């Protein structure tokens, strides 16, 4: 599997994604420059976390106009796997690759471990997990409150596009377990074709027991299954 | 060449000289050096370079007494940052710096640009920043103005560091009325580099090009360095325009571009344009290289039209660097900057003629002989005399302070102390800082005595921590200076790292006052003693004087930033208990000392008594005991006793992580001669609480190292709470009580009023 990681000006989690893929999965990864038009034959494209273009205007609002994003959209349209993490999720929403929007957290910037529950396993990023599996990993964002119209939310639920929800230690999606005020505790979603996935928590920061959690590994291992399918 | 005054320049008058902060003597010295009257531009240059902030004119002679060498020190004081070798061809660059005055008038931008400045100091050495720490001091959270400052400073630190993608992993925060009008905001940055990529800020190579890189120069922050070198006053709010505005996005680009530039080999020197901007960066680079430089202000990329040489030289616009490019490689430098959408412009040249010359096109507007601009700065040796009032405070018998009626139940006192914002969990602050980005954080904020980061590609880890109890230094500067270093070393040793070296940020009042200069001299002497004893040389730092508001000086606060090395990062040890039925061992002895304690200050409003004694031989033995026990994997947790004494320390071991609580049952009746409040809440130094499944082995190591040690109890399940037996009675605290006190205190205090701006008359402290 070859993973392309897009480097926007202001990205700052691209190295972490690189290490997760190369050091932990033992797969190939390349950095993709935002000014280029070449995905270098990547099977999977990761839009990493950070503050692309300083998050000026609105998180992800400027990055979606980067030259590379045209190629990313084409890749997605052809069924290629695209994963947006944190700022990458915001960019994917701004680019129309994913439904919904990510608004300012109801209580400001939050950096802390959260627990998320896997809701569906029929996607490239969740296939190795089990439904209801709870994963602990960090969040670190100021604009991660998932929002959409009620009708869109209902449709996302009906079409099984809500992939991750913030939950408490007992696996319940409670108000207290919701770190940013996201509607229906939504932490991550996929598109209708199920090949573009976005989430606010950082699975790439949870792949090594030395750092406290390796719960993110199962998600990256899912990519491997999908890419080799 | 003799400079000619520009049309429109004000005439040099005594009033103008005074406005520039130069004394009569200093002005005479300047005229002597030049052999003529300075131009307005020259006056501006000298006023910045001879400000306390840039020149260290009151502190330099004493700073020379600090130990600065060890075989592994690659770069000591005098550069953008200190550098130590950690083996495997790798080195660590680190430095701490203050941004107190800007933060006092504009907390958000003041703190943000403080973070930006210290990051640049580290990456100009060729190091990639891997961690940020910050050491903060505020007045009481009862004050709405203080809450406004806390909220703004924390948001400023977070927004800048988070955007940069550098984790903020540790620090220390204290609250005391002494900091009410003059908060302290000290930021520390740690970076990692390959030893062979170390680069210095030393201009060299006649004919090489001097280039301005990064953001354009605007009118912001003009005279920031001189602002930082005077007491805060009623007029300080009017100086808000002197506070710079930060742009972390540009800094992030500048970071990547600079590291790429250094790796490319096209540049021979890099210097941050920080305090006093282009003036100090260019003059200091020339002085270090002992070469001449010439700079044309018309070639400096500016943000506003009509800027004068005076403004361009003294602007403190952020996110700018000065680099010396090898002659002929200027376009290569431009190319690298262009990749990151930044500009680079040739603005001058390294010349053989021993002169510091500034031109505006063909017109020479400033010219100083040789490097005398830097080397001729006056040095002062002010009088030092301890204040009688402080001598009296120290002599006071604090055991005579009558206990409150509620204190009959020590559990009440413990709960109350856990609510002190100085002691309480700082989660409200650090959850606003990204502490996990870059995926190296093994121990982050809140769970260890110091932060631990792994060093990729090796088995090693790096520990880091900031510390200083200003109240100790206030009541006895010599002892307080010693403790600041010893506590930092203890904290680093508690996570399993060998203390290696320190950077320091010396926050003091007005040095021309003999009582303040006494504090400065004695605190430095105490620090030096501890640095020698603990073998942790000083590799650099920053001096911040004039930390005074009309209410008086801050506590003398020589903040220590300590870096330590773990040979095997998998041995990193947190502070919280881990296993029920582990033995709890107290390393070091309790004493009847109670002076200068948080207990007296918070429960009784008393700041008095002598701070606890600091026996440096004992401290070193404690460090060795901790390291040997941790390296032998005997210890499951380690936590030092500091503010709040033994009782607070053991409570933190039980409830530090609210998601993994532990109970404990300990018996202190062996020390029945010690009054119980000193035993529980006194801050005797040289102590740590460790938990272990092999008590005998830990006790044997301690005995061999000469550290008193005693098995005092057992880790218990959470439902048994914390039980401490003291001379005949037992004090029992349900964990939920302790959790509520410790974890909710700061959030509750910060909720009391919306933290919007509250203007305040700095003279009276009353809301304006």
């Amino acid at each position: 599997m070859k993973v392309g990681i897009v480097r926007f000006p202001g990205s700052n989690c691209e190295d972490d994604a690189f290490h997760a893929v190369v050091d932990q999965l033992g797969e190939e990864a390349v950095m993709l420059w935002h000014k280029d038009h070449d995905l270098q034959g990547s099977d999977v494209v990761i839009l990493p976390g950070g503050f692309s273009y300083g998050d000026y205007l609105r998180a992800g609002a400027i990055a979606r106009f980067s030259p590379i994003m045209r190629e990313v959209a084409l890749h997605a349209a052809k069924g290629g796997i695209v994963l947006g993490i944190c700022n990458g999720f915001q960019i994917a929403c701004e680019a129309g690759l994913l439904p919904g929007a990510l608004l300012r957290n109801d209580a400001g910037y939050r950096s802390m471990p959260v627990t998320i529950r896997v809701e569906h396993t029929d996607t490239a990023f969740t296939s190795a997990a089990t439904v209801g599996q709870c994963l602990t990993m960090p969040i670190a964002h100021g604009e991660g409150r998932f929002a959409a119209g009620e009708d869109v939310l209902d449709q996302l639920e009906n079409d099984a596009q809500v992939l991750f929800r913030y939950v408490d230690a007992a696996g319940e999606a409670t108000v207290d377990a919701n770190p940013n005020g996201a509607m229906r505790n939504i932490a991550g979603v996929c598109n209708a074709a199920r090949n573009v996935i976005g989430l606010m928590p950082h699975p790439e920061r949870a792949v090594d027991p030395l750092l406290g959690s390796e719960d993110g590994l199962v998600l990256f291992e899912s990519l491997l299954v999908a890419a080799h399918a | 060449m003799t400079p000619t005054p520009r049309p429109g320049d004000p005439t040099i008058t005594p009033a103008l000289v005074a406005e520039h902060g130069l004394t009569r003597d200093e002005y005479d010295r300047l005229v002597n050096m030049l052999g003529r009257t300075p131009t307005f531009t020259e006056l501006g240059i000298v006023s910045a370079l001879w400000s306390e902030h840039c020149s260290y004119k009151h502190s330099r002679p004493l700073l020379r007494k600090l130990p600065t060498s060890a075989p592994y020190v690659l770069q000591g004081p005098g550069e953008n940052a200190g550098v130590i070798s950690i083996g495997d061809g790798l080195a660590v660059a680190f430095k701490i710096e203050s941004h107190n005055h800007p933060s006092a008038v504009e907390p958000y931008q003041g703190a943000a640009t403080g973070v930006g400045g210290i990051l640049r100091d580290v990456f100009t050495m060729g190091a990639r920043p891997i961690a940020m720490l910050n050491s903060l001091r505020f007045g009481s959270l009862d004050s709405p103005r203080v809450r406004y400052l806390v909220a703004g400073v924390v948001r400023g630190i977070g927004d800048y560091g988070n955007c940069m993608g550098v984790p903020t992993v540790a620090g220390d925060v204290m609250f005391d009325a002494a900091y009410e009008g003059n908060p302290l905001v000290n930021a520390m940055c740690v970076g990692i580099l390959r030893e062979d990529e170390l680069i210095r800020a030393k201009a060299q190579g006649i004919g090489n090009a001097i280039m301005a890189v990064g953001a354009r120069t605007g009118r912001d922050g003009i005279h920031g360095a001189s602002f930082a070198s005077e007491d805060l006053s009623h007029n300080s709010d009017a100086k808000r325009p002197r506070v710079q505005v930060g742009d972390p996005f540009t800094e992030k680009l500048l970071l990547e571009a600079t590291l790429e530039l250094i790796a490319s080999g096209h540049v021979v020197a890099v210097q941050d344009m920080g305090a006093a901007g282009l003036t100090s960066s260019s003059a200091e680079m020339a002085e270090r290289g002992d070469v001449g430089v010439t700079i044309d202000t018309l070639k400096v990329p500016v943000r506003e039209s009509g800027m004068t040489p005076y403004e361009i030289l003294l602007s403190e616009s952020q996110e700018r660097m000065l680099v010396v490019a090898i002659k002929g490689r200027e376009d290569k430098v431009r190319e690298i900057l262009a990749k990151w959408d930044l500009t680079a412009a040739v603005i001058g040249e390294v010349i053989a003629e021993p002169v510091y010359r500034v031109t505006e096109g063909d017109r020479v507007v400033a010219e100083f002989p040789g490097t005398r601009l830097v080397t001729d700065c006056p040095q002062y040796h002010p009088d030092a005399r301890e204040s009688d009032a402080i001598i009296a405070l120290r002599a006071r018998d604090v055991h005579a302070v009558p206990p409150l009626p509620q204190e009959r139940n020590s559990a009440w006192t413990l709960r109350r102390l856990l609510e002190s914002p100085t002691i309480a969990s700082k989660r409200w602050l650090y959850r606003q800082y990204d502490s996990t980005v870059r995926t190296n954080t093994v121990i982050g904020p809140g769970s260890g005595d110091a932060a631990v980061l792994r060093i990729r590609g090796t088995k090693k880890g790096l520990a880091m921590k900031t510390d200083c109890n200003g109240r100790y230094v206030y009541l006895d500067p010599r002892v307080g200076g010693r403790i600041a270093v010893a506590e930092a070393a203890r904290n680093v040793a508690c996570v399993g790292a060998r203390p290696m070296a320190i950077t320091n940020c010396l926050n003091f009042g007005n040095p021309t006052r003999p009582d303040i200069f006494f504090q400065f001299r004695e605190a430095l002497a105490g620090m030096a003693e501890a640095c020698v004893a603990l073998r942790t040389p000083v590799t650099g730092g920053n001096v911040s004087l004039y930390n005074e508001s009309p209410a008086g000086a801050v506590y003398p606060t020589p903040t220590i930033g300590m870096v330590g090395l773990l040979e095997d990062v998998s041995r990193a040890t947190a502070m919280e208990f881990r296993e029920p039925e582990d033995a709890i061992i107290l390393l070091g002895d309790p004493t009847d000392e109670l002076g200068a304690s948080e207990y007296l200050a918070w429960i009784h409003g008393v700041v008095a008594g002598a701070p606890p004694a600091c026996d440096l031989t004992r401290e070193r033995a404690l460090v060795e005991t901790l390291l040997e026990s941790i390296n032998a994997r005997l210890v499951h947790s380690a936590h030092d006793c500091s503010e709040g004494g033994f009782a607070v320390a053991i409570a933190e071991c039980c409830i530090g992580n609210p998601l993994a609580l532990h109970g404990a049952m300990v018996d202190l009746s062996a020390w029945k001669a010690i009054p119980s409040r000193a035993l529980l809440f006194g801050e005797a130094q040289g102590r740590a609480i460790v938990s272990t499944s092999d008590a005998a082995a830990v006790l044997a190591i301690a005995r061999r190292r000469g550290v008193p040690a005693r098995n005092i109890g057992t880790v218990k399940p959470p439902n048994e709470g914390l039980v401490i037996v003291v001379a005949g009675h037992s004090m029992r605290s349900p964990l939920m009580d302790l959790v509520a006190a410790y974890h909710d205190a700061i959030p509750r205090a910060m909720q009391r009023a919306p933290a919007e701006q509250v203007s305040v008359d700095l003279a009276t402290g009353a809301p304006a």
Side-chain angles (χ1 to χ4, degrees), chain B residues 634-684:
Chain B
L634 292 170
V635 163
H636 289 151
S637 71
H639 184 31
D640 85 318
C641 298
S642 58
E643 288 80 20
F646 172 84
V648 163
I650 195 159
E652 288 171 337
C653 295
C654 293
I655 61 161
N657 179 359
L659 300 178
L661 300 173
H662 292 277
M665 162 84 196
V666 292
D667 185 348
L668 303 182
S669 32
W671 294 282
K672 47 179 143 322
I674 299 176
S676 67
R677 60 179 177 169
L679 186 55
L680 290 171
F681 308 117
E683 298 173 8

Side-chain angles (χ1 to χ4, degrees), chain B residues 134-350:
Chain B
N134 45 73
S135 176
L136 310 177
R137 299 291 180 275
F138 297 104
S140 162
L141 281 177
D142 291 336
S143 148
R145 167 84 185 176
V146 169
R147 294 200 293 275
Y148 158 69
L149 292 176
V150 171
V153 163
V154 170
R155 209 160 47 80
I157 290 170
D159 281 1
Y160 208 104
N162 297 345
C163 184
M164 287 295 291
V166 180
T168 300
V169 296
D172 66 308
V173 190
M174 292 189 183
F175 301 84
D176 191 293
Y179 302 102
E180 188 91 34
N182 194 132
L184 302 183
V185 176
N186 296 175
M188 172 169 165
C189 181
V190 180
I192 198 147
L193 67 155
R194 297 191 46 81
E195 272 185 40
D196 53 14
E197 287 190 348
L198 174 59
I199 188 165
R200 294 183 169 87
K202 187 171 153 185
Q204 50 188 327
I206 307 305
N208 278 346
I210 295 176
M211 300 181 78
V213 159
R216 290 167 175 272
T217 298
R219 286 196 169 97
D220 47 333
I222 291 175
H223 272 311
S226 357
F227 170 45
S229 306
E230 59 192 50
D231 297 347
L232 287 171
S233 69
H234 327 266
N235 300 326
S236 296
D237 257 2
K239 290 181 176 169
R240 190 166 288 151
R242 286 194 185 176
V243 178
Q244 315 84 332
V245 176
D247 173 9
F249 173 57
T250 301
E251 175 116 331
K252 169 72 170 152
L253 302 180
L254 189 59
L255 159 66
E256 300 301 337
T258 303
L259 293 181
E260 198 169 325
L261 204 53
I262 292 169
S264 76
H266 298 317
V267 297
V268 295
V270 183
Q271 163 88 38
D272 166 37
M273 284 200 231
L278 179 53
T279 295
S280 92
S281 52
S282 55
E284 286 171 11
M285 262 188 160
E287 190 266 331
R288 289 196 196 103
D290 200 18
V291 291
V293 297
T294 175
I295 284 174
D296 182 352
T297 58
L298 284 184
K299 293 185 176 158
V300 177
V302 289
R303 201 185 286 160
E304 301 167 62
S305 61
M307 285 183 71
T308 65
Y310 180 100
E311 290 171 322
I312 290 169
L313 286 164
L314 294 178
S315 159
E316 291 190 7
S317 289
Q318 298 289 291
E319 292 92 23
R320 299 178 303 157
M321 303 279 228
L322 200 64
V323 307
V324 178
I326 295 171
K327 192 177 168 64
R329 310 261 190 101
E330 297 87 342
D331 282 340
K332 300 280 184 197
V333 172
R334 281 195 198 92
E335 251 171 56
I336 289 173
L337 271 294
K339 173 182 165 191
W340 295 97
D341 300 320
L342 293 171
T343 56
V346 174
I347 63 164
E349 193 183 336
V350 178

Side-chain angles (χ1 to χ4, degrees), chain A residues 7 9-13 16 19 23 33 35 51 53-54 56 109-112 138 140 204-205 208 210-211, chain B residues 162-163 165 247 249 252-253 256 338-341 431-439 441-442 454 456:
Chain A
R7 203 171 195 202
S11 292
N12 62 33
C13 302
D16 301 348
H19 286 300
D23 299 352
W33 186 238
K35 290 178 186 172
F51 289 72
Y53 296 90
Y56 293 135
Y109 189 94
R110 281 293 175 271
S111 163
M112 55 196 268
E204 82 282 16
R205 298 189 192 180
D208 190 337
L210 181 66
L211 305 189
Chain B
N162 297 345
C163 184
D247 173 9
F249 173 57
K252 169 72 170 152
L253 302 180
E256 300 301 337
K339 173 182 165 191
W340 295 97
D341 300 320
R431 72 181 178 182
Q432 299 185 53
Y433 309 146
D434 189 343
S435 57
T436 52
V437 65
R438 299 197 61 74
T439 52
T441 312
V442 177
R454 69 159 160 208
R456 263 188 208 283

Side-chain angles (χ1 to χ4, degrees), chain B residues 420-436:
Chain B
S420 157
T422 292
I423 289 172
S425 164
K426 307 300 183 295
R427 183 166 176 269
W428 185 91
L429 289 84
Y430 65 71
R431 72 181 178 182
Q432 299 185 53
Y433 309 146
D434 189 343
S435 57
T436 52

Side-chain angles (χ1 to χ4, degrees), chain B residues 577-597:
Chain B
F577 290 140
R578 251 175 45 199
E579 305 289 342
E581 299 313 317
D582 269 0
I584 300 170
I585 290 177
L586 177 63
L587 299 172
D589 259 341
T591 67
D592 65 356
E593 292 165 303
L594 197 55
S597 60

Side-chain angles (χ1 to χ4, degrees), chain A residues 23-39:
Chain A
D23 299 352
Q24 304 297 329
L25 283 192
E27 296 293 311
E28 188 187 356
V30 286
M31 289 292 177
L32 305 175
W33 186 238
H34 68 112
K35 290 178 186 172
D36 291 345
H37 277 286
D38 184 0
L39 298 185

